[in-house]
Amino acid sequence: MPSALVTGAGRGIGLAITEHMSRRGWDVYATARSDAALSSLGRLPNVHPIALDITDRSAISALAEHLPCELDGVVNNAGIIVNGPIEGLSLDNLVRQLDVNVISQIAVTQAVLPSIRAAGGRVVFMSSVSGLITTPGTGAYTASKYAIESLADALRMELRPWRIRVSLIEPGPIRTDMWADVLDDYDRMTAELSDEHRRLYASHLAGSRKLLGRMQKLAADPKRVTKAVEHALTSRRPKRRYLLDLVSRTQKAAIAITPTAVSDAALAAATTSK
C-alpha cells in the first residue's frame, strides 16, 4: 500500500486530499493541530493522524519517527492567509505568514526527503494562482506563494539525480470550509488595522471585500485539486505545475502579455470600491 504525508489535513483542501487518497487505497499520514481534527481524521480508513504544528522545529525533527522508512509522497498543504495593505501589516503576522507557508514547508520536506528518496517518491507543494499574480491587499500571502514556487523549482532540479519528481498545485478559490469563512477572516483583518489605516484604505478595503464575495461564489469543486494531487503522486509523467481551471489559465496568460502599467491599473480598479 503506497503512503503519503499530508500536512494541514484537519480542514479545507488538506482534508479533501486526505479523504481522496485514503479512498484510493493509500496509507495517509495526516497532520493537524486540534484534538477535534485529529479525532475526526482517526475515523477515516487508512489514515494515521499526527499531531503537528509545522512551525515547531523540534516536532519537525521528530516527524520521521511517525512515518514509514519508505514514503511515497509528501503533500505540503498546511498554510495560512494574511491579508491587508502592506502599510498596515503587523510585522509579526508577516513573519508568521512566511514561516508557515514557506520555511516550515521546506522544514517538513527536508525532514522526510530521506524516506522519499528510499521509496523513489514524490514531493508536492500546494501553491496557488496567487503565486503567479499579485493583487492589492494580498502582498503577504502572494509573497509566500511566489517564494514556494521558486523553492520548488530549485528543488525539482536538485533532485533530478534521484528521479524524485516535484510538482506545484496552483488552484484558484476552492469550495471548502476555509473559503466559506473568508469574509469573516477578512473582517477580522480589517478590525486589527489602526483607525488611520482603515480611513486611508477604506475604498480599497470595501472593494476587496466585494471582490472576495464574488470569488467565494465562483469557488471550484475540491475534486479539481484532489485529482491533480493524485496525478502528481502517481503518474509516470507528473506535471511540474497544475493550473486547475480556465479562469486561472486566462489570468496567467493575460498578465504575461499585458504591460505592467495596464495590469496595475486594472487590478487596482478591481479592488477599489466606487
Side-chain angles (χ1 to χ4, degrees), residues 2-22:
S3 59
L5 170 67
V6 179
T7 64
R11 60 182 299 204
I13 290 174
L15 178 57
I17 293 168
T18 298
E19 292 172 336
H20 178 81
M21 297 309 296
S22 69

Side-chain angles (χ1 to χ4, degrees), residues 127-174:
S127 182
S128 168
V129 70
S130 295
L132 309 171
I133 302 166
T134 302
T135 55
T138 67
Y141 178 69
T142 55
S144 73
K145 293 304 182 182
Y146 273 76
I148 212 66
E149 292 266 334
S150 177
L151 288 162
D153 283 345
L155 188 66
R156 186 179 61 250
M157 293 181 280
E158 292 163 1
L159 295 180
R160 280 176 66 90
W162 299 278
R163 298 189 177 184
I164 297 172
R165 308 296 183 88
V166 179
S167 297
L168 287 152
I169 313 296
E170 300 169 334
I174 299 297

Side-chain angles (χ1 to χ4, degrees), residues 1-5 25-29 68 70-74 116 119 233:
M1 183 179 289
S3 59
L5 170 67
W26 282 59
D27 261 335
V28 183
Y29 294 82
E70 295 188 3
L71 186 68
D72 295 287
V74 56
I116 295 287
L233 290 173

Side-chain angles (χ1 to χ4, degrees), residues 227-247:
K227 288 181 180 179
V229 169
E230 182 181 2
H231 189 274
L233 290 173
T234 62
S235 173
R236 287 183 59 196
R237 294 183 178 179
K239 298 179 182 179
R240 292 163 178 80
R241 283 175 166 77
Y242 290 81
L243 269 173
L244 304 183
D245 57 78
L246 181 60
V247 172

Side-chain angles (χ1 to χ4, degrees), residues 247-264:
V247 172
S248 296
R249 294 187 186 97
T250 302
Q251 286 177 320
K252 181 180 179 181
I255 289 293
I257 63 173
T258 304
T260 302
V262 175
S263 61
D264 280 359

Side-chain angles (χ1 to χ4, degrees), residues 3-170:
S3 59
L5 170 67
V6 179
T7 64
R11 60 182 299 204
I13 290 174
L15 178 57
I17 293 168
T18 298
E19 292 172 336
H20 178 81
M21 297 309 296
S22 69
R23 287 195 299 268
R24 301 293 288 175
W26 282 59
D27 261 335
V28 183
Y29 294 82
T31 78
R33 291 185 299 168
S34 76
D35 291 339
L38 292 165
S39 178
S40 295
L41 289 167
R43 291 192 287 271
L44 297 174
N46 308 320
V47 174
H48 311 275
I50 300 174
L52 181 69
D53 176 349
I54 65 167
T55 63
D56 184 337
R57 304 291 184 258
S58 61
I60 295 296
S61 297
L63 183 57
E65 299 172 8
H66 303 280
L67 302 172
C69 295
E70 295 188 3
L71 186 68
D72 295 287
V74 56
V75 181
N76 287 291
N77 167 76
I80 61 172
I81 299 175
V82 173
N83 280 327
I86 298 298
E87 183 180 1
L89 278 181
S90 156
L91 294 183
D92 287 342
N93 284 342
L94 178 57
V95 168
R96 179 162 172 74
Q97 174 75 95
L98 298 175
D99 191 3
V100 173
N101 286 25
V102 184
I103 297 169
S104 295
Q105 296 210 16
I106 297 304
V108 168
T109 303
Q110 289 176 339
V112 303
L113 262 176
S115 299
I116 295 287
R117 184 177 283 109
R122 308 283 175 84
V123 178
V124 178
F125 289 96
M126 192 59 57
S127 182
S128 168
V129 70
S130 295
L132 309 171
I133 302 166
T134 302
T135 55
T138 67
Y141 178 69
T142 55
S144 73
K145 293 304 182 182
Y146 273 76
I148 212 66
E149 292 266 334
S150 177
L151 288 162
D153 283 345
L155 188 66
R156 186 179 61 250
M157 293 181 280
E158 292 163 1
L159 295 180
R160 280 176 66 90
W162 299 278
R163 298 189 177 184
I164 297 172
R165 308 296 183 88
V166 179
S167 297
L168 287 152
I169 313 296
E170 300 169 334

